[in-house]
Amino acid sequence: MSMADDESGYVHRPDTEPQSADVPSADNETGTEATDGPEFGTSGWILVGMIGVAFLLVPGAILLLPSAQNIISSFGLTLRDAYLTLPLVPAFVLGALAVWSAVRSQSE
């Protein structure tokens, strides 16, 4: 007995109706048209910008701290204080922006 003669195996039978390219695709389970998610919006771009500041600008500033010791001391901070506080600023701002964005998305 060969495999071709075995009728108990799985046989894939594709749908007989091909979908047209100009017809919008539908969700097979619910029957609704496929749509994009909600718009990114202003709050999304503000969050992306702040993430860029937190992950690009602040680490660059940390690398430049030893050469800016005179500016740091004019604020009354030591170099150690600057190393500790500089990453905290975008962390607090990111937290506040996340809360603002969440509250804003709930009210819409």
Side-chain angles (χ1 to χ4, degrees), residues 43 46-54 58 85-102:
S43 63
I46 291 171
L47 284 169
V48 167
M50 193 57 213
I51 288 172
V53 166
V58 172
T85 58
L86 192 59
L88 285 176
V89 173
F92 286 135
V93 174
L94 273 173
L97 281 174
V99 170
W100 170 74
S101 177

Side-chain angles (χ1 to χ4, degrees), residues 5-16:
D5 296 335
D6 188 15
E7 294 291 326
S8 65
Y10 172 77
V11 177
H12 176 70
R13 292 184 180 93
D15 292 338
T16 57

Side-chain angles (χ1 to χ4, degrees), residues 59-102:
I62 288 174
L63 291 174
L64 298 174
L65 278 178
S67 62
Q69 222 165 1
N70 292 335
I71 298 170
I72 295 169
S73 63
S74 69
F75 289 114
L77 297 172
T78 65
L79 195 57
R80 181 172 185 251
D81 294 337
Y83 277 120
L84 292 173
T85 58
L86 192 59
L88 285 176
V89 173
F92 286 135
V93 174
L94 273 173
L97 281 174
V99 170
W100 170 74
S101 177

